[in-house]
Amino acid sequence: MGRLLAWVRSAGPVRAAFVGSLLLSWVALSGALINRDGIHYVEVARAMLEQGFALQRGGADWQFLSILMAGLSALTGMTPETSGHLLNALLLAGTCSLLVAIVRRRLPEAAWAACLVVLAMPAYNGYRNELLREYGFWFFCALSFWLAMRWEAAPRWREALACQLALGIAALFRLEAVAFYPALMLWQAFAAPAGQRVRRVIMLGCLPMIGAVLAAVLFGSGTVPQPARVSYYFEAANPVRTLQLLNEAGSRMSETVFKYKYSREEAGYILFFGLLSVIPMKFLKMAGVFVVPLAYAVLTHSIRAVLARWQPLPWAFLAYLLVLIAFVTHQFFLVGRYVSLLNLLAVPVAAAGFALLMQHFPRWRGVMVALALVTMAANVVSLSPKKTHIAEAGRWLGVNAPDSGRVGVDNARIAYYAGWRTSQAVSLDRAALGTALAQKRIDMVAVEAPRKDAETEVWLAEQRLKPVQRFANEAGDAVIIAVLAQP
């Protein structure tokens, strides 16, 4: 332990964050099953390896992660899944290092606190076992902000162009990154010295402005078809369309939910502010114990001082908050990982608050560090039984099921571990599986049977299915493979 602590001190907080992040990813991935989004990225990467690196017309229209996975697999011989997890681990480790470097640049005494906070914040560390394109989005956004801070100290074209190119690469992972271009430009419009504002705004915005003009010409003339993802974002950002959706949903709510006239009149407002409340609730929940240092950093200093120290991150926070507002009012839902970038942008403030707490309350320093370490472990270590039964059932099907098109599954991961592609597998919910059985399109099913769910056995009996194999984990959750019983 003494040697380990000595190495950590000599390595410094930035390198320690990188190595620590890689170790946490290794722990999180031990025995973990692939997530559903990851299945899609792996399948697209496999298609690229087999058919060439041309974008697959039938897949998603934003495939940069799959391209990287396929390229790394072609170079190293690793499977696309392994390549994806390696890329994700390296990108998240780089993100952690960049955030620590940002803190060390603006508040050197809080660098080690930032190393601890960035490795323990639940918002993004809890996704280490999943294959996602968010990791590239987070890394290149953090790289852009770090470059922007360097550029502010010495406004040269090299750093300005590198900052904009980094955001462009981030947009290849998630298109929301383009929202940070106006954020950086607004930062300089307000913060640059008098007489230099126009020049600095142009330096940080020349590439997106040129790109916007070219896109308008190409899309407007019909020379290049507008990607579906771009069309979707334009629709989500349209306030007229958002108001229309809210009014329609509010009308339905007033008819079915509210029994009093006065509540019905305010249904649209209730829905709108209810949707907006989802964002801060998820942000606070995913901050975990670091809500306390976040609040402490803000309460012990003026808001203006906190915002000024960490520019341009507050502008980025505001820009991404507006993106989330547009999304949640357009789709009426918001998953946790979409909010994670807000927590990433808040890491420097949380680190500053954590360092202040340890300075002002030295007797509680050990308790604070212990809580952070427990949170760090809880993000990557699960005490619940592993879902090995899903992989076991999939492998059994891969060996014993002669025709994948005749087998229905209610979990796409079963088909993945059978070695089948999504296009080959009949992956449906229970009701649709029942319809497929009635229509004689399938004659075998593999369905999950949670330990506390007694309806699976009833459903099998109703469909005249005879179990032939049962795979269960330590908790009693199972996958049942059944065939149509002979009359």
Side-chain angles (χ1 to χ4, degrees):
M1 183 59 70
R3 291 179 181 177
L4 178 62
L5 291 174
W7 179 87
V8 169
R9 292 193 189 97
S10 63
V14 175
R15 279 186 287 179
F18 188 88
V19 175
S21 180
L22 290 179
L23 291 174
L24 289 173
S25 294
W26 176 71
V27 172
L29 288 169
S30 300
L33 296 182
I34 191 169
N35 56 307
R36 289 173 175 82
D37 286 351
I39 292 174
H40 173 73
Y41 302 137
V42 169
E43 289 194 346
V44 174
R46 284 175 178 168
M48 289 177 178
L49 288 171
E50 295 170 2
Q51 304 170 19
F53 282 82
L55 295 182
Q56 307 300 308
R57 294 291 182 182
D61 56 351
W62 231 252
Q63 303 167 332
F64 191 59
L65 175 59
S66 294
I67 293 173
L68 294 180
M69 290 164 56
L72 185 58
S73 296
L75 290 174
T76 63
M78 294 187 296
T79 64
E81 182 182 348
T82 303
S83 299
H85 283 305
L86 177 59
L87 285 169
N88 281 178
L90 291 172
L91 288 168
L92 185 53
T95 304
C96 293
S97 295
L98 286 168
L99 287 169
V100 176
I102 286 172
V103 174
R104 187 177 65 177
R105 186 176 188 86
R106 294 288 175 87
L107 192 65
E109 61 270 24
W112 279 109
C115 181
L116 190 58
V117 171
V118 80
L119 294 177
M121 181 80 75
Y124 47 90
N125 285 295
Y127 295 104
R128 287 182 179 272
N129 63 323
E130 297 189 15
L131 188 53
L132 301 168
R133 56 195 172 106
E134 271 77 9
Y135 298 107
F137 173 53
W138 296 337
F139 171 75
F140 285 102
C141 286
L143 177 61
S144 177
F145 302 142
W146 178 73
L147 288 168
M149 289 181 175
R150 290 188 59 183
W151 170 85
E152 184 186 26
R156 294 174 297 188
W157 277 102
R158 183 180 63 184
E159 281 79 8
L161 294 175
C163 169
Q164 295 167 75
L165 289 173
L167 274 186
I169 299 174
L172 294 177
F173 287 94
R174 292 202 68 93
L175 191 56
E176 295 95 316
V178 298
F180 296 128
Y181 283 123
L184 292 177
M185 295 167 69
L186 284 170
W187 164 48
Q188 283 305 297
F190 284 90
Q196 299 184 30
R197 291 179 180 176
V198 174
R199 177 177 178 272
R200 291 198 176 194
V201 167
I202 293 174
M203 285 184 73
L204 279 188
C206 58
L207 292 185
M209 287 189 288
I210 293 171
V213 172
L214 286 175
V217 172
L218 293 175
F219 295 156
S221 64
T223 307
V224 176
Q226 185 168 288
R229 188 63 60 92
V230 175
S231 302
Y232 163 78
Y233 276 94
F234 277 131
E235 182 181 355
N238 184 352
V240 176
R241 177 58 179 161
T242 298
L243 289 174
Q244 182 182 353
L245 289 173
L246 287 170
N247 288 332
E248 292 173 358
S251 299
R252 291 194 294 271
M253 281 181 59
S254 64
E255 296 172 359
T256 59
V257 177
F258 302 117
K259 64 179 182 178
Y260 296 110
K261 171 186 175 182
Y262 302 105
S263 298
R264 293 173 186 169
E265 293 175 353
E266 307 297 334
Y269 296 102
I270 295 171
L271 177 61
F272 176 70
F273 289 106
L275 288 171
L276 293 188
S277 69
V278 173
I279 300 172
M281 291 304 296
K282 286 189 177 293
F283 173 80
L284 295 174
K285 179 182 178 182
M286 295 193 300
V289 296
F290 299 106
V291 167
V292 176
L294 265 172
Y296 193 75
V298 173
L299 294 174
T300 53
H301 296 82
S302 68
I303 297 294
R304 178 173 293 185
V306 173
L307 296 179
R309 170 175 286 168
W310 301 112
Q311 294 293 341
L313 298 186
W315 283 104
F317 191 97
L318 175 61
Y320 194 66
L321 181 62
L322 294 175
V323 169
L324 292 178
I325 290 172
F327 181 89
V328 76
T329 54
H330 182 72
Q331 290 288 0
F332 292 4
F333 81 93
L334 194 65
V335 296
R337 73 172 186 268
Y338 295 168
V339 186
S340 296
L341 184 61
L342 289 183
N343 294 83
L344 271 167
L345 294 171
V347 162
V349 179
F354 197 84
L356 276 175
L357 283 169
M358 290 195 293
Q359 178 184 348
H360 293 170
F361 305 97
R363 293 183 179 180
W364 293 92
R365 187 176 300 171
V367 176
M368 296 178 206
V369 173
L371 279 174
L373 292 175
V374 169
T375 304
M376 186 188 304
N379 292 329
V380 297
V381 178
S382 175
L383 300 179
S384 59
K386 297 185 181 298
K387 299 181 179 181
T388 53
H389 57 297
I390 294 176
E392 292 170 358
R395 286 191 286 266
W396 187 92
L397 284 174
V399 173
N400 296 280
D403 184 1
S404 61
R406 302 290 300 174
V407 182
V409 298
D410 65 351
N411 186 335
R413 290 187 288 187
I414 299 174
Y416 175 82
Y417 286 105
W420 304 335
R421 293 183 180 177
T422 305
S423 58
Q424 295 175 309
V426 184
S427 181
L428 304 167
D429 58 26
R430 290 281 178 86
L433 285 178
T435 302
L437 286 165
Q439 297 173 352
K440 306 297 183 183
R441 290 190 285 119
I442 59 174
D443 47 33
M444 178 185 286
V445 298
V447 294
E448 288 191 275
R451 177 172 53 89
K452 297 181 180 180
D453 182 11
E455 296 181 0
T456 303
E457 301 286 352
V458 176
W459 182 83
L460 292 173
E462 291 175 349
Q463 303 297 326
R464 295 186 295 108
L465 291 166
K466 176 184 176 182
V468 294
Q469 285 291 334
R470 182 185 182 92
F471 299 91
N473 65 354
E474 296 176 359
D477 299 325
V479 171
I480 299 175
I481 300 175
V483 298
L484 283 171
Q486 296 298 324

